[in-house]
Amino acid sequence: MGHPHQRILKPTRMKKSTETPKRTRRDFLETSVKVAGTGALLSALPISMSAYAGAAGEIKVAVVGCGGRGTGAAMQAIEADPDVRLVAMAEVFGDRLEQSYKNLMERYQGKNKVLVTNATKFVGFDAYKKAIDMADVVILTTPPGFRPLHFEYAVQQGKHVFMEKPVATDVVGIKRVLEAGKMARQKKLNVVVGLQRHYQKNYRKVEQLIKEGKVGDLVSGQVYWNSAGVWVRPRKEAQTELEYQMLNWYYFTWICGDHILEQHIHNIDVANWFLGANPVSAQGMGGRETRKGKDHGHIFDHHFVEFVYPQGQVISSQCRHQRGCMNRVEEVFQGTKGNILVNSGNRALVKGYGGSDILDYKGENDINPYQQEHNELFAAIKAGEHRLDNTEYGANSTMTAILGRMATYSGQQITWDEAMATNLKLVPDDLSSFNSKAPIQPDANGNYPVAIPGKTRFS
Ligand SMILES: NC(=O)c1ccc[n+]([C@@H]2O[C@H](COP(=O)([O-])OP(=O)(O)OC[C@H]3O[C@@H](n4cnc5c(N)ncnc54)[C@H](O)[C@@H]3O)[C@@H](O)[C@H]2O)c1
């Protein structure tokens, strides 16, 4: 095997989650037709499910979690099919719901797309049930700690689902999602998980080359999400502890999962996808060096993990939230015949070891994968077909990131089976109002307990 080369591309600027491409109705129709032709048909829906639509052929959509991504995904659902109507919204913070509603109305005023009224704006911890009950398709875009609860309920109610990644923050949540996924399969409900690289053309091209054996067997890889970090929502006066944690959710592991889960899952997921397996074990290191202080909760600001896969392949995974450092968000793999570089900026570079370009793809006009997810989802629903079943890989990629976090928090080597056997549970069952007890409490100085490798147990 020749010496694997890695060409370093400029750091990727991540698209904002609310970014929706400007597309005409004609673009939409063309894309839908193409998508309908390429989607893998799992099976036709039974008659009862193919009657997806409400009155007058409308496809009713509800959004649960009306922040940046929920608002963006609602727009993408609307853009995906002319019959989509947003009928209900659910939130725990009324002002966030109103802001999202305002953004949607600014875009769709007078277009008969957003049919949400005061009576179908639901606020509170059980708001999700009321919104889900009204819809044919639900968009689940709260922070990930609540995803298992919401997904389970949506499937029980027989709804098609778009849910954001990660799909849980703990092992108990993963098991719940996998079980609900089985039920969704039996009910032939389409489920899309927001790991949008699976819907991005350059990634699909690379997947095809791997399947065709053009790069041989993948033996190693490096996956990166090194960036400056994200927003902080400082504590406000008169907030309860739970209210504070749910607003500033990024910094609390029970609701966010830590950034190895919340962002780096995208890159870890590509490793699982391209290697066609989940890792058998992980070991790594991490901590918080630059991002400290009360408003940064207790998550780490860097993790480095080695994931070992079933054939002995090793994937090195890095994620960092530190300002002023080199940023890099992409995935690199070495195969026995060539190597791969791919990133969310539509880039794919695949080189044979003889120096030849197997693929040099820039995808300048490619459709936004956030839109593509919804185009494929609504095309499947409209066709009355069960084509999309992303739950298992969504859960496995989430679990892979949880395994990595367990390794960095504890400083131990952990196998997949050991991690699954822990039944780690971080999200309490009894959260019913902002007066419920938050699962983690600050000390007298307002600081939260941070994991200490070598001392913190992974279970
Ligand atoms: N695929 C992607 O590239 C991508 C991009 C951005 C965000 N996301 C994912 O989307 C999810 C949301 O992220 P965001 O950036 O929109 O965050 P956000 O904070 O802007 O929005 C989340 C909203 O959910 C609400 N919420 C919290 N708990 C709730 C509950 N129990 N019931 C109802 N509403 C609840 C919050 O109040 C908040 O308004 C996360 O899982 C994130 O990882 C994915």
Side-chain angles (χ1 to χ4, degrees):
M1 191 173 100
H3 185 70
H5 82 269
Q6 289 183 38
R7 189 179 296 176
I8 298 176
L9 294 184
K10 277 188 184 165
T12 309
R13 186 184 72 81
M14 293 306 295
K15 294 183 181 78
K16 282 192 187 136
S17 61
T18 49
E19 205 167 284
T20 305
K22 287 198 180 64
R23 298 172 62 235
T24 61
R25 186 177 156 79
R26 186 168 162 180
D27 290 339
F28 155 73
L29 288 171
E30 282 172 2
T31 312
S32 301
V33 171
K34 279 184 209 147
V35 164
T38 54
L41 177 62
L42 296 175
S43 63
L45 295 178
I47 300 294
S48 60
M49 282 312 305
S50 63
Y52 61 84
E58 291 169 353
I59 307 176
K60 294 182 194 158
V61 174
V63 58
V64 179
C66 309
R69 192 74 267 278
T71 310
M75 289 178 182
Q76 282 137 9
I78 289 169
E79 301 292 327
D81 188 289
D83 289 335
V84 168
R85 302 287 179 273
L86 186 69
V87 296
M89 300 171 79
E91 246 295 334
V92 283
F93 291 104
D95 58 337
R96 290 186 67 82
L97 187 153
E98 288 304 332
Q99 184 58 51
S100 171
Y101 177 77
K102 186 166 165 271
N103 292 343
L104 287 162
M105 289 314 285
E106 273 170 17
R107 195 177 177 109
Y108 296 110
Q109 188 79 49
K111 295 193 174 150
N112 194 35
K113 301 285 185 191
V114 180
L115 308 185
V116 177
T117 65
N118 283 345
T120 65
K121 293 175 182 169
F122 301 106
V123 177
F125 281 66
D126 62 352
Y128 71 95
K129 289 188 182 168
K130 297 172 192 160
I132 289 172
D133 287 351
M134 295 190 61
D136 305 302
V137 185
V138 298
I139 293 173
L140 305 180
T141 42
T142 66
F146 292 100
R147 199 90 67 243
L149 177 71
H150 296 169
F151 179 55
E152 194 173 72
Y153 183 77
V155 173
Q156 280 165 358
Q157 301 309 311
K159 312 299 180 176
H160 299 280
V161 175
F162 170 82
M163 63 173 160
E164 262 307 342
K165 45 43 69 172
V167 300
T169 58
D170 57 19
V171 176
V172 167
I174 292 289
K175 290 183 178 174
R176 235 170 133 174
V177 167
L178 285 170
E179 276 308 305
K182 280 188 210 155
M183 200 199 306
R185 208 161 297 132
Q186 282 158 7
K187 293 188 175 187
K188 299 186 174 167
L189 299 170
N190 287 291
V191 179
V192 170
V193 173
L195 289 162
Q196 68 274 6
R197 284 160 176 74
H198 290 260
Y199 293 79
Q200 193 162 1
K201 204 166 167 191
N202 57 326
Y203 283 89
R204 287 179 165 180
K205 278 183 174 288
V206 173
E207 179 199 22
Q208 189 58 33
L209 289 175
I210 294 170
K211 277 191 188 151
E212 289 167 3
K214 296 275 169 43
V215 283
D217 295 327
L218 297 187
V219 293
S220 58
Q222 299 76 42
V223 298
Y224 308 87
W225 192 301
N226 291 339
S227 69
V230 302
W231 47 260
V232 174
R233 297 174 184 154
R235 194 185 289 274
K236 295 179 193 162
E237 256 181 57
Q239 271 177 326
T240 68
E241 182 58 32
L242 183 63
E243 190 176 0
Y244 166 65
Q245 290 185 21
M246 285 182 63
L247 196 60
N248 196 25
W249 62 265
Y250 209 98
Y251 299 97
F252 296 94
T253 305
W254 69 273
I255 183 168
C256 163
D258 203 318
H259 68 110
I260 187 173
L261 200 68
E262 208 279 334
Q263 282 185 322
H264 190 38
I265 184 176
H266 283 296
N267 322 100
I268 289 172
D269 165 65
V270 174
N272 286 4
W273 177 21
F274 286 179
L275 268 66
N278 303 323
V280 290
S281 70
Q283 71 84 28
M285 56 188 74
R288 41 197 259 158
E289 293 296 327
T290 63
R291 193 168 57 183
K292 301 182 181 194
K294 294 171 189 174
D295 277 326
H296 287 123
H298 62 158
I299 68 168
F300 282 4
D301 63 11
H302 64 285
H303 302 253
F304 183 97
V305 183
E306 278 179 1
F307 290 105
V308 180
Y309 283 74
Q311 308 298 324
Q313 311 101 309
V314 178
I315 297 291
S316 304
S317 121
Q318 303 184 19
C319 60
R320 177 170 62 202
H321 275 188
Q322 292 174 349
R323 292 178 193 277
C325 302
M326 184 196 105
N327 291 338
R328 186 173 191 186
V329 181
E330 60 195 356
E331 302 89 30
V332 179
F333 299 92
Q334 295 78 41
T336 48
K337 293 188 192 165
N339 56 33
I340 298 166
L341 181 151
V342 62
N343 68 34
S344 61
N346 295 340
R347 187 78 171 104
L349 183 63
V350 182
K351 286 248 177 209
Y353 288 130
S356 58
D357 278 358
I358 300 171
L359 177 72
D360 186 352
Y361 185 76
K362 298 193 175 72
E364 275 140 11
N365 297 315
D366 286 356
I367 184 170
N368 181 338
Y370 293 94
Q371 185 59 52
Q372 184 68 8
E373 292 171 328
H374 289 268
N375 290 353
E376 296 194 23
L377 175 61
F378 286 95
I381 294 169
K382 240 182 164 176
E385 291 175 356
H386 183 217
R387 294 179 188 161
L388 297 157
D389 183 5
N390 299 171
T391 311
E392 199 163 307
Y393 76 68
N396 285 335
S397 293
T398 304
M399 185 58 215
T400 305
I402 291 174
L403 175 67
R405 184 189 72 208
M406 286 173 158
T408 59
Y409 278 11
S410 68
Q412 306 301 326
Q413 182 168 32
I414 308 166
T415 68
W416 179 278
D417 292 344
E418 283 167 345
M420 289 299 276
T422 61
N423 281 328
L424 178 75
K425 182 168 165 55
L426 303 177
V427 186
D429 293 324
D430 56 354
L431 301 179
S432 56
S433 81
F434 287 135
N435 292 319
S436 301
K437 186 166 188 238
I440 185 135
Q441 297 293 322
D443 66 16
N445 298 319
N447 294 312
Y448 296 86
V450 176
I452 304 171
K455 288 195 174 165
T456 297
R457 291 166 52 89
F458 67 81
S459 54

